[in-house]
Amino acid sequence: MYLLEINKEHKSLLGVIRHWENLKTAFDADSIWIKDFSFEQINSDAVLQIPYVHMYELKENLLFEKGKLLPSKKLPSGLLWTPIVRALPVSLPGFNHNFFGINHEIEISLIPSEEIKDAFALLVNYNDLKAYIETAPRFRLEPLQWVIIDDKILIIGNPQLPIKGSVYWFNNYFLIPVGYDFEWFSLIKKLQDKLNPSAEKMILWNKDGTYTAISSENIKPLSLSSFRLTFS
């Protein structure tokens, strides 16, 4: 069995794994203990990126630091285990991203994610799309939509075009880079309510946590004629 130990003062760092409902948590005088990790979870990027933690494997009540052959110490006795979602409740007071205009601030970050997500949109250069679309069959373009984002073009829908570019997955009107997800998953609903309350936009997120709001009125079907008309 795998366990994780972290000092109580670093409790907030555990937010990245709080949604793993199989985990159980206990507290002693100075530390927070978490157990019931699967092999995949204990080796995931989400766990490995948490600073100030000690990871152990429990054998006959002895704690072996991950990757070491000799025991470090015994598991404290009398620990009372409870599901992590109860032990670490989400608290959303007045803090938010700096564009929310509320008293406190919190940085919205995207972090690498091992979860496999279906691609939904592709951000490409104008010249790359122009070279493809000039000879592409009509049926290949019909399922897709497009919109101009600064000096690039966002193609929405599937099947995606065989053009190099940045790929995004879709989550409740958010377009998120494939291979990434929000660090603070508990803020997603709050973000939706603040950035897109009427669901009239798509929000394109960048890996650095910045975003672009895309009005649904600017999104149009992809076709050679609409492309030429726009750039004529």
Side-chain angles (χ1 to χ4, degrees), residues 113-144:
S113 171
E114 295 180 344
E115 290 190 47
I116 298 175
K117 304 290 187 180
D118 293 330
F120 184 81
L122 182 68
L123 190 65
V124 302
N125 292 325
Y126 164 81
N127 289 332
D128 292 332
L129 178 58
K130 183 177 185 297
Y132 177 83
I133 202 173
E134 291 287 350
T135 58
R138 180 177 176 180
F139 74 86
R140 191 67 177 83
L141 307 178
E142 285 180 342
L144 306 174

Side-chain angles (χ1 to χ4, degrees), residues 59-213:
K59 301 176 182 178
E60 298 180 356
N61 211 42
L62 295 176
L63 293 170
F64 293 74
E65 283 197 52
K66 194 167 177 285
K68 295 188 177 180
L69 299 177
L70 297 176
S72 301
K73 56 184 177 181
K74 288 185 176 181
L75 182 67
S77 60
L79 293 177
L80 299 176
W81 298 95
T82 187
I84 190 170
V85 292
R86 293 183 185 176
L88 303 175
V90 174
S91 176
L92 292 177
F95 70 81
N96 246 306
H97 200 359
N98 50 21
F99 47 70
F100 286 172
I102 301 179
N103 294 335
H104 299 84
E105 299 178 1
I106 186 170
E107 182 180 357
I108 301 301
S109 301
L110 297 182
I111 61 174
S113 171
E114 295 180 344
E115 290 190 47
I116 298 175
K117 304 290 187 180
D118 293 330
F120 184 81
L122 182 68
L123 190 65
V124 302
N125 292 325
Y126 164 81
N127 289 332
D128 292 332
L129 178 58
K130 183 177 185 297
Y132 177 83
I133 202 173
E134 291 287 350
T135 58
R138 180 177 176 180
F139 74 86
R140 191 67 177 83
L141 307 178
E142 285 180 342
L144 306 174
Q145 296 176 297
W146 72 298
V147 63
I148 299 173
I149 306 290
D150 296 327
D151 60 343
K152 294 183 180 292
I153 296 170
L154 183 71
I155 304 169
I156 303 168
N158 282 296
Q160 294 191 348
L161 301 182
I163 305 174
K164 65 179 181 180
S166 301
V167 184
Y168 296 80
W169 62 281
F170 185 74
N171 181 11
N172 291 309
Y173 298 96
F174 286 171
L175 292 170
I176 305 166
V178 166
Y180 286 79
D181 203 346
F182 289 104
E183 179 178 12
W184 303 105
F185 71 96
S186 59
L187 290 181
I188 291 178
K189 182 62 168 64
K190 195 83 169 179
L191 284 169
Q192 292 168 347
D193 292 343
K194 293 295 181 180
L195 300 181
N196 195 23
S198 57
E200 294 179 350
K201 302 175 183 178
M202 284 188 180
I203 308 296
L204 181 77
W205 288 90
N206 302 311
K207 294 177 183 178
D208 62 2
T210 59
Y211 70 91
T212 300

Side-chain angles (χ1 to χ4, degrees), residues 6 8 10-19 23-27 32-34 82-91 185-186:
I6 189 169
K8 286 181 177 178
H10 303 304
K11 175 181 176 181
S12 62
L13 299 174
L14 299 175
V16 295
I17 61 173
R18 181 190 173 277
H19 60 294
L23 301 182
K24 292 184 175 61
T25 304
F27 298 84
I32 300 173
W33 293 86
I34 304 174
T82 187
I84 190 170
V85 292
R86 293 183 185 176
L88 303 175
V90 174
S91 176
F185 71 96
S186 59

